[in-house]
């Protein structure tokens, strides 16, 4: 069996090798077989991640009792090493210019890393297998799989590194990969625009993240997560290292801590599509459906959630930062759910659902308790399976409908697409938090954390409002999820002309991943909830095991039972309401929509609350106007001045040119006159 260091290197190295091999050989050698290196690379990476998970699990059981949690850091090489003017072992820097600046390429093995690696590689493998059938006729087949391999490499490195600079590097790498994949069909103007939109909106969040990293350096004098020793034995206390975790008083509090956390939160809002930087994610559906499944389920959008969970001690040092996380998450969850209620594009409904569920994860993290943070990560874990299932199911519908994805143009597909129908139903039940399915248990834990904060924690009124918002969001989620399901698979059969006579179930390469994901979506939540395996394992992550977390636990069985019963009732009410409107009383849905439209509510929801238009008005159009004015000024003023300067030598030359007549007599006369002028000047 390979050791932890070897496995930790193999997990990202194998997808990278596969991506490079596909990029080099795919176009001319592999061609329609270009999927094999990437599928094999991700598959072997999954095996390595599972081996790492098993070894970390075993190591946790035998961990040193004097250590905070469990971690093992693997240092590969030193990227940058700048000597400072002073050597100090103080946990707080004496002066930034006096300290060594070192960036190590180091990977860390701990429970949080192990869970993220298994989640990313497992879902990515299923998406890659599905893509073989979905993308088989695409002329950019080899390019697609090269991008997929690079994406998986970037994400596995992001969750493995043990340094804020390296975290930022791969934070940008997943942003680049998302740009390439969302705009994969760059011949389509909508896809090209969506790729640019995702890239530019994320730059706003990334700028905040970069400022946060700079502030961490100026505050703590290091950017490493872990404690380090140099060749002379001098100790540098890491930002999330054992020394600080054992003594939370070493963390800087007050306004500096809040500024750091708010800047990190801005970065997380961009990457995880939280208000106000959520606008890029719905447009990301312009890429191939497997890309949507990969981005929305297990890779890019989970990066912000992971980063906040990793930086829990920094947020605890602030005090107010967790409340900011909760407010952003609660508002985003409710806003996105309200928008999804009226959308008619199946993939866009799922996109807004992703934004809403990410808001739920932020709500869990924002509770600031061990229960809330593990619940947020648990929801990330379960969401990866049922959201990948739903997006791939939507791709199966789109494949059968000739590319049509508008739920108003097809219906009654359960007989033509039986496997897609049943697996999609399981995904909908999990998303709607139907009792017994994965989403029910993870969402229930988040609601419990919010409820307990409203009873026992700081700012009880705030968390009470957030609990009500989360409950309303749960109702809307169940409603819009089954609205989309019923309109797609029930009612009279309607096939759009684009599908012709070829509307049929997808090939096995596409349906087998659906079945596997459906099994996980149905059972994985209950398994980890009743065995407590997920939470107990994650508790050993150093960032969650440190001393500052111990006082935050107030979970009571009575609160949990009440919340679970209410949560189940809310989910069932949402499903029942959708059934009444779209099955039992279908005309009532039109009347309700008309009543909402009369109040202006339907238009707000269908228009996505006009947030994109507000950005156009406040940001895009002013910048376009400034660009056009700058262009006019450049062409009319600057170019004119430059042209005039260029014309001056020509004018002077033209004047002097007239003196060159070619007549010798004229030259002799000029010489005599010149001589007379010199004589007169000397005499005077």
């Amino acid at each position: 069996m390979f050791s932890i260091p070897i496995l930790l290197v193999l997990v990202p190295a194998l997808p990278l090798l596969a991506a490079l091999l596909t990029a080099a050989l795919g176009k001319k050698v592999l061609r329609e077989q270009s999927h094999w290196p990437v599928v094999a690379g991700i598959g072997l990476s999954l095996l390595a991640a599972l081996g790492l998970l098993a070894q970390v699990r075993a190591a946790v059981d035998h961990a040193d009792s004097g250590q905070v949690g469990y971690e093992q850091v693997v240092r590969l090489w030193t990227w940058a090493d700048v000597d400072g003017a002073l050597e100090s072992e103080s946990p707080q820097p004496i002066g930034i210019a006096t300290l060594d600046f070192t960036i190590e390429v180091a990977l860390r093995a701990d429970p949080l890393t192990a869970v993220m690696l298994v989640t990313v590689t497992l879902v990515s493998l299923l998406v890659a297998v599905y893509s073989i059938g979905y993308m088989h006729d695409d002329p950019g087949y080899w390019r697609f799989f090269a991008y997929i391999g690079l994406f998986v490499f970037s994400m596995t490195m992001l969750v493995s590194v043990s340094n804020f600079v390296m975290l930022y590097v791969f934070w940008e790498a997943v942003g680049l990969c998302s740009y390439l994949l969302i705009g994969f069909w760059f011949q389509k103007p909508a896809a090209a625009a969506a790729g640019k939109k995702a890239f530019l909106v994320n730059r706003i969040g990334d700028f905040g993240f970069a400022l946060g990293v700079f502030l961490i350096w100026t505050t703590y004098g290091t950017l490493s997560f872990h404690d380090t020793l140099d060749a002379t034995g001098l100790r540098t206390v890491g930002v999330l290292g054992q020394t600080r975790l054992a003594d939370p008083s070493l963390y800087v509090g007050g306004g500096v801590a809040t500024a750091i956390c708010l800047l990190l939160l801005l970065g997380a809002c961009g990457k995880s599509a939280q208000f106000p930087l959520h606008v890029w994610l719905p447009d990301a559906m312009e890429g191939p459906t497997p890309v949507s499944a990969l981005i929305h389920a297990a890779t890019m959008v989970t990066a912000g959630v992971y980063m906040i969970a990793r930086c829990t001690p920094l947020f605890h040092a602030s005090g107010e930062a967790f409340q900011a996380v909760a407010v952003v998450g609660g508002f985003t969850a409710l806003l996105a759910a309200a928008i999804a209620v009226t959308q008619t594009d199946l993939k866009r409904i799922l996109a807004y659902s992703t934004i809403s569920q990410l808001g739920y994860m932020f709500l869990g993290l924002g509770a600031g308790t061990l229960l809330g943070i593990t619940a947020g990560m648990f929801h990330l874990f379960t969401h990866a399976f049922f959201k990948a299932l739903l997006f791939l199911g939507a791709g199966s519908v789109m494949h059968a409908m000739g590319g049509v994805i508008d739920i108003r143009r097809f219906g009654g597909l359960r007989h033509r697409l039986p496997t897609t129908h049943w697996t999609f139903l399981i995904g909908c039940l999990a998303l709607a938090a139907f009792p017994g399915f994965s989403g029910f248990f993870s969402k229930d834990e988040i609601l419990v954390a919010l409820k307990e904060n409203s009873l026992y924690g700081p700012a009880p009124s705030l968390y009470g409002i957030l609990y009500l918002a989360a409950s309303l969001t749960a109702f809307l989620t169940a409603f819009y999820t089954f609205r989309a399901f019923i309109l797609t698979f029930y009612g009279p059969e309607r096939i759009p002309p684009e599908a012709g006579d070829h509307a049929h179930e997808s090939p096995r390469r596409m349906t087998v991943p659906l079945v596997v994901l459906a099994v996980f979506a149905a059972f994985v939540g209950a398994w980890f909830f009743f065995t407590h395996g997920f939470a107990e394992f994650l508790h050993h992550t150093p960032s969650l095991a440190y001393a500052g977390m111990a006082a935050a636990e107030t979970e009571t069985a009575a609160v949990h039972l009440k919340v679970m019963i209410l949560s189940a009732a809310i989910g069932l009410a949402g499903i029942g309401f959708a059934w009444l409107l779209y099955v039992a009383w279908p005309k009532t849905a039109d009347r309700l929509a008309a009543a909402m439209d009369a109040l202006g509510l339907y238009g707000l929801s269908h228009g996505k609350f006009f947030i994109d238009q507000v950005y156009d008005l406040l940001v895009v159009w002013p910048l376009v106007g400034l660009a056009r004015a700058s262009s006019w000024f450049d062409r009319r003023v600057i170019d004119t001045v430059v042209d005039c300067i260029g014309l001056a030598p020509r004018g002077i030359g033209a004047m002097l040119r007239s003196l060159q007549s070619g007549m010798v007599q004229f030259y002799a006369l000029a010489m005599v006159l010149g001589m007379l002028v010199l004589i007169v000047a000397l005499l005077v």
Side-chain angles (χ1 to χ4, degrees), residues 496-517:
E498 291 86 344
D501 298 325
H502 306 292
H504 56 77
E505 184 60 274
S506 300
R508 288 178 60 85
R509 286 178 175 177
M510 295 171 64
T511 56
V512 169
L514 293 179
V515 173
V516 175
L517 287 168

Side-chain angles (χ1 to χ4, degrees), residues 56 99 136 174 183 189 274 295 302 368 401 469 503 540 563 573 584-585 661 678:
V56 171
L99 298 178
H136 63 95
V174 295
Q274 296 296 283
I295 292 176
T302 63
M401 296 297 102
H540 293 281
V563 171
W585 307 325
S661 62
L678 288 174

Side-chain angles (χ1 to χ4, degrees), residues 40-401:
I42 299 175
L44 293 174
S45 179
L46 172 60
L47 293 177
L50 290 171
L52 178 68
L53 177 66
Q55 292 208 34
V56 171
R57 179 71 183 178
V60 162
D61 295 335
H62 301 89
D64 181 3
S65 58
Q67 186 179 21
V68 180
Y70 169 80
E71 66 177 0
Q72 182 173 344
V73 178
V74 180
R75 298 171 179 83
L76 302 180
W77 69 85
T78 300
W79 184 17
D81 189 4
V82 180
D83 292 334
L86 180 68
E87 295 182 348
S88 172
E89 293 192 12
S90 171
Q92 304 299 343
I94 295 176
I96 298 307
T98 67
L99 298 178
D100 294 344
F101 178 69
T102 303
I103 302 175
E104 289 183 329
V105 180
L107 307 180
R108 64 184 297 111
D110 62 21
L112 180 58
T113 299
V115 167
M116 289 297 298
L117 288 177
V118 171
T119 304
V120 170
T121 53
L122 176 56
V123 174
S124 298
L125 176 62
L126 294 171
V127 170
V129 173
Y130 177 95
S131 302
I132 298 173
Y134 192 89
M135 301 293 294
H136 63 95
D137 289 329
D138 196 281
Y141 191 72
W142 66 274
R143 182 166 54 91
F144 176 84
F145 280 96
Y147 292 165
I148 291 291
L150 185 62
F151 204 171
V152 176
F153 160 71
S154 300
M155 189 63 195
T156 52
M157 283 296 292
L158 186 151
V159 300
S160 300
V161 294
S162 190
N163 182 290
F164 276 104
V165 173
M166 298 306 300
L167 176 63
Y168 184 81
V169 168
F170 290 102
W171 190 272
E172 293 299 313
V174 295
L176 171 63
C177 293
S178 70
Y179 167 75
L180 295 173
L181 286 168
I182 293 170
F184 180 77
W185 289 323
F186 54 85
Q187 302 90 342
K188 292 172 52 180
K196 289 187 289 185
K197 185 175 183 179
F199 190 80
L200 292 174
V201 172
N202 270 276
R203 297 291 70 73
I204 299 172
D206 295 352
F207 180 69
F209 187 23
L211 292 179
V213 172
F214 294 154
L215 191 52
I216 289 172
W217 163 246
T218 59
T219 303
Y220 292 103
T222 181
L223 292 172
S224 293
F225 294 169
H226 55 280
D227 297 342
T228 58
L229 292 174
D230 63 15
T232 63
L234 184 67
R235 175 173 54 93
T236 300
V237 180
V239 180
L240 304 174
Q242 291 290 317
T243 303
R244 268 185 229 280
L245 296 178
D247 184 5
S249 65
L250 297 178
Y251 282 100
V252 175
V256 173
T258 301
I260 290 173
C261 294
L262 291 181
L263 289 169
L264 295 180
L265 175 60
L266 179 58
C269 286
K271 203 64 73 183
S272 292
Q274 296 296 283
F275 179 85
L277 301 180
H278 66 285
V279 292
W280 68 270
L281 191 57
D283 291 351
M285 66 163 195
E286 294 294 342
T289 298
V291 172
S292 300
L294 195 60
I295 292 176
H296 288 243
T299 54
M300 182 171 171
V301 296
T302 63
V305 180
Y306 160 81
M307 185 262 286
I308 293 178
R310 174 67 73 191
C311 297
T312 293
L314 293 174
F315 281 79
H316 259 293
S318 165
E320 296 82 15
F322 270 129
Q323 296 175 27
V325 174
V327 169
V328 168
F331 182 79
T332 304
L334 185 57
L335 175 71
I339 293 174
V341 165
T342 59
Q343 300 305 305
T344 56
D345 184 298
L346 184 56
K347 287 175 65 177
R348 193 174 292 273
I349 293 171
L350 296 177
Y352 278 106
S353 170
T354 298
I355 297 172
S356 184
Q357 296 307 301
L358 288 165
Y360 258 105
M361 297 173 206
F362 274 65
L363 273 171
L365 298 175
T369 60
L370 188 57
L371 171 64
I373 295 169
T374 53
M377 293 305 300
F378 188 27
H379 198 53
L380 181 153
F381 179 70
T382 59
H383 176 265
F385 297 110
F386 62 73
K387 187 49 61 69
L389 169 61
L390 289 171
F391 263 107
L392 296 185
S396 182
V397 171
M398 194 173 178
H399 181 268
M401 296 297 102

Side-chain angles (χ1 to χ4, degrees), residues 337-338 340-341 349 353 356-357 360 427-435 443 470-486 567-579 582:
V341 165
I349 293 171
S353 170
S356 184
Q357 296 307 301
Y360 258 105
C428 288
L429 291 170
L431 174 58
F434 189 86
K443 190 178 293 184
S471 299
L472 177 57
T473 301
F475 174 81
L476 294 176
T477 301
F479 172 74
Y480 70 68
T481 300
F482 273 85
R483 168 181 173 265
F485 174 75
I486 291 168
S567 175
I570 290 172
L572 292 172
I575 296 172
F577 189 53
W579 182 84
Y582 297 100

